[in-house]
Amino acid sequence: MIAACMIAIPQIGLADAAVGDVIVTLGENLTPQQKETVLQDLNAPENAQTVTVSNEEEHKYLGQYIPKSQIGTKALSSSSITIEKSGSGLEVQTKNITAITDEMYLNALMTAGVKDATVQVTAPFEVSGTAALTGLIKAYEVSSDQVIPEDVKQVANEELVTTSELGQKHGEENAAALMAKVKEQVAQNGVPANDEELRTMIENAAKELGITLTEEEINSLISLFNKMKDANIDWNQVSQQLDQAKEKITKFIESEEGQNFIDQVIQFFAAIWNAIVSLFNGGGQNAAGLK
């Protein structure tokens, strides 16, 4: 069963939200005991603003991407967003979430325009976590008093579902890294002018990661990024958040920057080894000269 953190936007805005402020979302179908458990998991302060999540909102944002039977009839999963200082980037931690990794949430939250926050997602028992994104986005709206356009919310939800599906076949880390690589290319070089250019960008990113995509998967990604194009995503902000989150992306070590770091370490130890070998060789030659 997929539980979600979908929430209705409260009437009270937080335009004066300060660093350290916390917004908590709670599924409306939690029992009192379950509510207490998730609040402990989130380490929610007593003064945290709390909003309720409904199952109806789960279906509103996910009904066109996954079967209704998977969404279920209860809203149980919960989340929190803590406002951090400008430039700190995003950080995600999850508990009892089985299908969505921290990196997947990072990617989708960046697409939605969420920035500089610590995010926690939890549930009273194991759930896939696919639907939690919408609650997080709306909680961010409350905390920042910024309205995120509806089409941006939709494409971010679709991105999370698409990445999750790719992860089931190609590995969760590969799927998150693929999405991040393509988005980084778009942020650096601009949105491709046509589907052919976008296809090339996707195929090159997949090749770098050793992923073989099916034609159906490529078309799905082309469609997704075209929707991002139509939704006018703020790619400058996406790029900034990606840069700040690289160390948190598991596949960073496979990036050019990560490989350069590894090469430097290898060269360092190689230099030490060569010095040792040279020392012993020199010692051997000196010993030979004394004979």
Side-chain angles (χ1 to χ4, degrees):
M1 178 179 59
I2 298 179
C5 297
M6 322 301 258
I7 61 173
I9 302 178
Q11 296 298 313
I12 302 175
L14 294 181
D16 58 347
V19 172
D21 284 350
V22 180
I23 310 297
V24 173
T25 72
L26 295 172
E28 69 177 1
N29 300 115
L30 292 169
T31 66
Q33 183 176 359
Q34 289 171 337
K35 179 179 178 180
E36 182 178 348
T37 297
V38 298
L39 285 173
Q40 290 177 353
D41 288 343
L42 296 171
N43 195 27
E46 292 184 2
N47 63 341
Q49 181 173 351
T50 302
V51 290
T52 303
V53 199
S54 74
N55 182 248
E56 180 181 356
E57 289 162 321
E58 296 178 27
H59 286 273
K60 174 183 176 181
Y61 284 96
L62 286 169
Q64 57 184 309
Y65 307 124
I66 56 178
K68 291 183 178 181
S69 59
Q70 284 186 292
I71 301 174
T73 59
K74 294 183 178 180
L76 297 172
S77 65
S78 303
S79 67
S80 69
I81 286 187
T82 303
I83 304 303
E84 305 294 352
K85 64 181 181 180
S86 178
S88 60
L90 284 167
E91 183 173 348
V92 178
Q93 299 174 345
T94 60
K95 180 179 180 181
N96 284 337
I97 304 299
T98 60
I100 306 299
T101 66
D102 298 359
E103 292 93 339
M104 291 181 189
Y105 281 118
L106 275 173
N107 268 322
L109 287 167
M110 290 173 195
T111 297
V114 177
K115 62 180 180 179
D116 302 328
T118 297
V119 172
Q120 291 181 284
V121 183
T122 190
F125 47 82
E126 288 190 347
V127 298
S128 73
T130 307
L133 177 68
T134 301
L136 292 170
I137 292 173
K138 290 192 173 183
Y140 179 75
E141 285 185 311
V142 172
S143 66
S144 64
D145 201 27
Q146 296 179 9
V147 177
I148 298 174
E150 193 70 15
D151 53 352
V152 174
K153 296 176 189 176
Q154 288 287 351
V155 77
N157 274 280
E158 184 176 354
E159 176 185 343
L160 194 69
V161 173
T162 300
T163 312
S164 176
E165 291 174 347
L166 287 172
Q168 293 174 21
K169 179 178 178 181
H170 302 287
E172 295 171 341
E173 295 173 1
N174 283 332
L178 174 63
M179 201 66 67
K181 276 184 174 290
V182 177
K183 288 164 74 172
E184 187 174 40
Q185 287 297 310
V186 172
Q188 291 176 353
N189 304 315
V191 180
N194 52 58
D195 287 359
E196 196 58 37
E197 291 183 8
L198 184 53
R199 172 185 291 271
T200 300
M201 185 178 290
I202 292 169
E203 290 176 341
N204 288 341
K207 184 177 181 180
E208 288 181 24
L209 292 169
I211 302 173
T212 302
L213 298 172
T214 65
E215 186 66 19
E216 182 180 358
E217 289 168 339
I218 293 173
N219 289 333
S220 175
L221 288 169
I222 289 174
S223 174
L224 174 64
F225 278 94
N226 275 329
K227 290 178 182 178
M228 290 185 187
K229 178 180 178 180
D230 294 338
N232 293 319
I233 301 298
D234 185 345
W235 290 107
N236 287 331
Q237 181 171 300
V238 170
S239 179
Q240 292 171 3
Q241 296 298 307
L242 276 172
D243 287 340
Q244 292 162 340
K246 273 183 178 178
E247 61 192 48
K248 302 165 190 172
I249 301 292
T250 308
K251 281 281 182 172
F252 165 68
I253 199 169
E254 295 188 5
S255 70
E256 182 178 351
E257 185 178 350
Q259 288 299 317
N260 288 340
F261 172 76
I262 293 173
D263 288 342
Q264 291 173 7
V265 174
I266 292 174
Q267 290 171 13
F268 172 74
F269 284 105
I272 294 177
W273 175 252
N274 288 335
I276 294 173
V277 171
S278 176
L279 179 64
F280 277 98
N281 285 341
Q285 291 171 358
N286 290 337
L290 290 174
K291 289 183 179 178

